[in-house]
Amino acid sequence: MADPDTEADLIQSIFAPLSLGAPGSYGLHDDVAFLAPAHHGLIVTQDQIIEGTHFLPSDHIDMIAKRLVRRNLSDMIAKSGIPTAAFLSLAWPEARDRAGIKTFARGLGEDLDQLCGSCPLMGGDTSVTNGPLVASLTMLGRPTTGHGQPVLRSGARIGDVVAVTGVIGDAWLGLQVRLGKLSPDNLDACVAFAMAPQPPDLRLASLVGRYASASIDVSDGLILDASHIAKASGVSINLQLDLMPLSDEARNFTSFGTGHLSDVERATMLAAGGDDYQPLMTVSLSDFDAFQDAAEIIGVRVTQIGHCARGETVSLTYKGVPVAMPATLGWQI
Amino acid sequence: MADPDTEADLIQSIFAPLSLGAPGSYGLHDDVAFLAPAHHGLIVTQDQIIEGTHFLPSDHIDMIAKRLVRRNLSDMIAKSGIPTAAFLSLAWPEARDRAGIKTFARGLGEDLDQLCGSCPLMGGDTSVTNGPLVASLTMLGRPTTGHGQPVLRSGARIGDVVAVTGVIGDAWLGLQVRLGKLSPDNLDACVAFAMAPQPPDLRLASLVGRYASASIDVSDGLILDASHIAKASGVSINLQLDLMPLSDEARNFTSFGTGHLSDVERATMLAAGGDDYQPLMTVSLSDFDAFQDAAEIIGVRVTQIGHCARGETVSLTYKGVPVAMPATLGWQI
C-alpha cells in the first residue's frame, strides 16, 4: 500500500493468521517463503480474478476471494493435487473501502481451510490500484498419482471412458441470468452456482490420481476442454450430450425453453458454456466402475459422457444422432 | 483473453518459448506445471507491478516487464536464492495494443534468461482487463546457504557489520525528476536507473548465502529496511549516513543542492527513498573482508554502512554526529 507500515500492519492483522503457523511462512514476517525439501514434487497452478472480466463490481467481496481459491483448487484437483501452499497478489482499488480487505481475507481463509485441507497462505504482495480489483493466486500442491507427477491432458488412450463429476451448465445458465440474457424463472440454483461455484470434494484428487489417464478442469467449456485432451493425447473423443449430467434446472432449460431452439441446441450451449469447476477425465474401461464406486463413497457423482477412439478430434451425438459442432464457443441467446 | 483459442495461440506463440524446454513446464501446453522433487527446498517470492502505482502509463512496455522480473530477482538474491522457475499473471488492458504483449514477453524473457540464469517461465494466467495493466510474478529459487534455507531478517548478531551493495538513492532521485519535483539537471543516470533499475549480479546470491547473517532487499528505504532487520533480529543498527555509497550524481545532490536543505537532510532523504534493488546485509566482523573481496571478484561493490549493537532500534549518524530520524518515510521536496 502507499505507506509501507500500513501494509505491514495489514499483513500482520489480516493475512498472517491465514499462514496457519506453517514452517517457512515465517508468519508472513519475512520477505520470502520457504518450502522445505520433500520427497514429492509440486504441482503449480496460477489463476487470477479481475473485476469487470471475471466478476461484477457488485459481487460480494468474500465470494470473490472464494472464487479465486476455487478456480485454482478446481485445477489442482483435476490434476490430482492436494494443495500445500498458496500465495496471493492483491491489487486493491483505492476507491474501495479498505475494510473490504478483511472480508476478502476471511473468504480466502475459509476456503483455504475448509475446501483445501487447511492450505496455508505462505506469502504474497498487496498493493493499491486506481483501477479495478485484480487478484492472482498461486497454488502449489503434491500430486497423488503413483508416478508422482500430475495427471496431464496427454494420457488418454483409445477405449478409455470419458467422464465428468458433478453437473455441467449451471454456471453458464446462471451467468446468462446475471447478464440479463435469460429470465431468472426457475434458475435460482444456477445463479447461486455462478456466484459461488462448487468444486468437488478435495478427496476426489486422490481418486483422480489413482484412476484418471488424462484430466482437465472444465473451464473453457466441456467441448473445448475435451478437444484439449483429444489433441494432447492423440485420440478422438465422442461426447454423448444426452448423457451430460444436468441439474434439475438445467434439465428444465434444455426441455422446456421458448420455441426457437431445440433440446439439442440447448444441450450444446451448456456443453460450450464453461466455468463448471469439475474435472473432465478419461479412465480405462476396466477401472471405471471402481472409480465410480470410490467417488460415490465420498459423495461425488461421476458420469460417463463419452469414450475415446482413434483420431484426434471431438464429435458430438445426442441419443445416438450426430450433432454439428457449434460454430464458436461464444454462444449468445 | 476473451476467446480461449486466442489465449492458447498467444501463449504458444509468445510465452511458450520462455519455458526454455524445462521439464514440468510441458511447453505451457498443459494446465499446471510440475516442479520435480529436489534435494533442496524452494524460496518463493511474489511481487506485482501495477500501472499508475508502480509505473507510469507511458513507460516502455518491455521495461515494465523487466522491472517486474527485477523486483522479484532483487528479493531472491537478497535471500540467497538462485531462480529456478517463474509464473506470470498478466491482466492486459483492452485499451492497449495487443502487439504490446509480445514486447512485454520479450522483456520478460530477456531478463529471465540473462539476469536470472536462464530461469524458465513455467506457467501463469493471461487475461484482459478494462482497467490498468497489472502483472504479478511468482519466482521460485533454490537457497545457497549451508543450512539450506533462505537468509532471513532475523539472523543479525551484535557486532555484525551492516553493509549494502551498489549505490543508494538513485531510484528515488530519478523518481523525483520523473514526478517533476526535481530538476533533471545532472540527474540523467538517476532517471535511467529509476526506469531500468539494476539488481546486482546473480552470482552475489551465493555470497549472500555464504556470508550474510541477515539480509533484506532495500525496497521500503534503507532506514526502514534496516529497522526490519533490527526488529526481527533483536539488535540495534547504527547507520552511518556519510558512508552510504552514492553515485556521482547522488553525491552532487547531497553536496550542491539549493539552499534550504543541509547535506545531512539530503542524505537522509536518500536513505528513506527506497526501490534501490540492492541487498542490505549483516555480516560477522570476522567474515566481512572475505565477503567484500569475493564480491569484488564478481564486480559487486560491498560497502560497510553501519554495525549491529545491543537494542532493537535504528539510529543514524553523519560523520559521527547523531542525526534525527525522519518523521515519516514519505519525503517530499
Side-chain angles (χ1 to χ4, degrees):
Chain A
M1 318 303 272
D3 177 354
D5 271 337
T6 306
E7 185 187 359
D9 293 346
L10 189 80
I11 289 170
Q12 281 310 306
S13 63
I14 292 179
F15 289 112
L18 277 52
S19 68
L20 304 177
S25 74
Y26 309 115
L28 307 193
H29 272 293
D30 217 289
D31 310 290
V32 294
F34 177 63
L35 306 175
H39 66 278
H40 59 78
L42 289 166
I43 298 175
V44 188
T45 74
Q46 190 182 55
D47 266 309
Q48 57 190 338
I49 191 160
I50 302 171
E51 185 176 350
T53 302
H54 300 106
F55 66 91
L56 308 177
S58 59
D59 284 359
H60 289 299
I61 191 69
D62 57 335
M63 209 50 239
I64 294 165
K66 286 171 185 277
R67 291 254 291 280
L68 179 63
V69 173
R70 294 173 190 191
R71 275 170 71 91
N72 281 276
L73 174 61
S74 190
D75 266 324
M76 188 58 81
I77 291 174
K79 310 310 264 192
S80 87
I82 305 284
T84 53
F87 294 84
L88 173 72
S89 272
L90 181 61
W92 189 263
E94 285 164 350
R96 268 187 193 259
D97 186 357
R98 284 280 183 110
I101 301 179
K102 195 169 180 178
T103 312
F104 183 92
R106 190 183 62 217
L108 194 84
E110 282 176 3
D111 266 17
L112 286 175
D113 187 32
Q114 292 161 27
L115 300 188
C116 301
S118 298
C119 174
L121 184 73
M122 302 279 287
D125 186 34
T126 301
S127 193
V128 291
T129 175
N130 56 30
L133 194 159
V134 179
S136 171
L137 196 78
T138 307
M139 186 179 276
L140 299 101
R142 80 178 156 77
T144 60
T145 55
H147 51 69
Q149 293 181 35
V151 178
L152 300 178
R153 298 179 176 188
S154 52
R157 298 284 169 269
I158 293 166
D160 281 358
V161 168
V162 177
V164 70
T165 59
V167 295
I168 296 295
D170 280 12
W172 184 82
L173 284 169
L175 181 63
Q176 300 314 307
V177 173
R178 299 197 75 205
L179 295 176
K181 296 181 178 176
L182 271 183
S183 154
D185 297 346
N186 302 315
L187 290 173
D188 288 349
C190 296
V191 172
F193 185 93
M195 297 179 73
Q198 296 288 342
D201 189 300
L202 178 59
R203 291 173 292 175
L204 183 69
S206 309
L207 300 182
V208 173
R210 178 161 177 193
Y211 291 108
S213 54
S215 179
I216 189 170
D217 173 55
V218 181
S219 53
D220 292 342
L222 190 66
I223 299 170
L224 185 58
D225 287 316
S227 79
H228 293 327
I229 288 183
K231 191 175 171 191
S233 298
V235 299
S236 75
I237 290 180
N238 172 254
L239 292 177
Q240 295 165 260
L241 295 181
D242 51 304
L243 298 185
M244 192 164 62
L246 301 179
S247 67
D248 290 344
E249 296 196 330
R251 190 163 300 285
N252 278 340
F253 168 79
T254 59
S255 308
F256 305 108
T258 50
H260 67 290
L261 289 172
S262 70
D263 294 6
V264 181
E265 283 169 324
R266 286 165 180 271
T268 309
M269 290 159 81
L270 300 185
D275 272 336
D276 292 303
Y277 288 73
Q278 304 294 333
L280 172 70
M281 303 153 292
T282 60
V283 181
S284 79
L285 188 58
S286 59
D287 280 348
F288 185 67
D289 286 348
F291 176 42
Q292 211 171 23
D293 292 349
E296 193 180 342
I297 290 171
I298 59 167
V300 175
R301 180 164 61 142
V302 173
T303 306
Q304 174 172 1
I305 55 168
H307 64 276
C308 299
R310 202 170 298 278
E312 278 199 18
T313 57
V314 172
S315 59
L316 309 177
T317 58
Y318 193 86
K319 296 182 181 171
V321 179
V323 174
M325 288 290 281
T328 70
L329 296 164
W331 276 96
Q332 300 287 337
I333 291 193
Chain B
M1 318 303 273
D3 176 354
D5 271 339
T6 306
E7 185 188 358
D9 293 346
L10 189 80
I11 289 170
Q12 280 311 306
S13 63
I14 293 179
F15 290 111
L18 276 54
S19 69
L20 305 176
S25 74
Y26 310 115
L28 307 194
H29 272 294
D30 216 289
D31 310 291
V32 295
F34 178 63
L35 306 174
H39 67 279
H40 59 79
L42 289 166
I43 298 176
V44 188
T45 74
Q46 190 182 55
D47 266 311
Q48 57 190 337
I49 190 159
I50 302 171
E51 184 175 349
T53 302
H54 301 106
F55 66 91
L56 307 178
S58 59
D59 284 0
H60 289 299
I61 192 67
D62 57 335
M63 210 47 239
I64 294 165
K66 285 171 186 277
R67 292 254 291 281
L68 179 63
V69 173
R70 293 172 191 193
R71 275 170 71 89
N72 280 278
L73 174 62
S74 189
D75 266 323
M76 187 59 78
I77 291 174
K79 310 310 266 189
S80 87
I82 306 283
T84 54
F87 294 83
L88 172 72
S89 273
L90 180 61
W92 188 263
E94 285 164 350
R96 268 188 191 261
D97 186 358
R98 284 282 182 107
I101 301 179
K102 193 170 182 177
T103 312
F104 183 93
R106 191 183 61 218
L108 193 84
E110 282 176 5
D111 266 18
L112 285 176
D113 187 33
Q114 291 160 28
L115 299 188
C116 300
S118 298
C119 174
L121 183 72
M122 301 279 285
D125 185 36
T126 300
S127 194
V128 291
T129 175
N130 56 31
L133 194 158
V134 179
S136 171
L137 196 77
T138 307
M139 186 180 275
L140 298 102
R142 80 177 156 79
T144 60
T145 55
H147 50 70
Q149 293 179 36
V151 178
L152 300 178
R153 298 179 176 189
S154 53
R157 299 282 170 268
I158 293 166
D160 282 358
V161 168
V162 177
V164 71
T165 59
V167 295
I168 296 294
D170 279 11
W172 184 81
L173 284 168
L175 181 64
Q176 302 313 305
V177 172
R178 298 198 76 204
L179 295 175
K181 295 180 178 178
L182 273 181
S183 153
D185 296 348
N186 302 315
L187 289 174
D188 289 350
C190 296
V191 172
F193 185 93
M195 295 178 72
Q198 296 287 343
D201 190 301
L202 177 60
R203 291 173 293 177
L204 183 70
S206 309
L207 301 181
V208 174
R210 179 162 176 191
Y211 291 108
S213 54
S215 178
I216 189 170
D217 173 55
V218 181
S219 52
D220 292 342
L222 190 66
I223 300 170
L224 185 57
D225 286 316
S227 79
H228 292 327
I229 289 182
K231 190 176 172 190
S233 297
V235 300
S236 75
I237 289 179
N238 173 254
L239 292 177
Q240 295 165 260
L241 294 181
D242 52 301
L243 298 184
M244 192 165 61
L246 301 179
S247 67
D248 290 345
E249 297 197 331
R251 191 163 301 285
N252 278 340
F253 168 79
T254 60
S255 309
F256 305 110
T258 50
H260 68 291
L261 289 171
S262 71
D263 294 6
V264 181
E265 285 170 321
R266 287 166 180 271
T268 310
M269 290 159 79
L270 299 185
D275 271 337
D276 292 302
Y277 288 75
Q278 304 293 334
L280 172 70
M281 303 153 292
T282 60
V283 181
S284 79
L285 187 58
S286 58
D287 281 348
F288 185 67
D289 286 348
F291 176 41
Q292 211 171 24
D293 291 348
E296 193 180 341
I297 290 171
I298 59 167
V300 176
R301 179 163 62 139
V302 173
T303 306
Q304 176 173 0
I305 55 168
H307 64 277
C308 300
R310 203 170 298 276
E312 279 199 17
T313 58
V314 172
S315 60
L316 309 176
T317 59
Y318 193 85
K319 296 182 181 170
V321 179
V323 174
M325 289 290 283
T328 70
L329 296 163
W331 276 96
Q332 299 288 335
I333 292 191

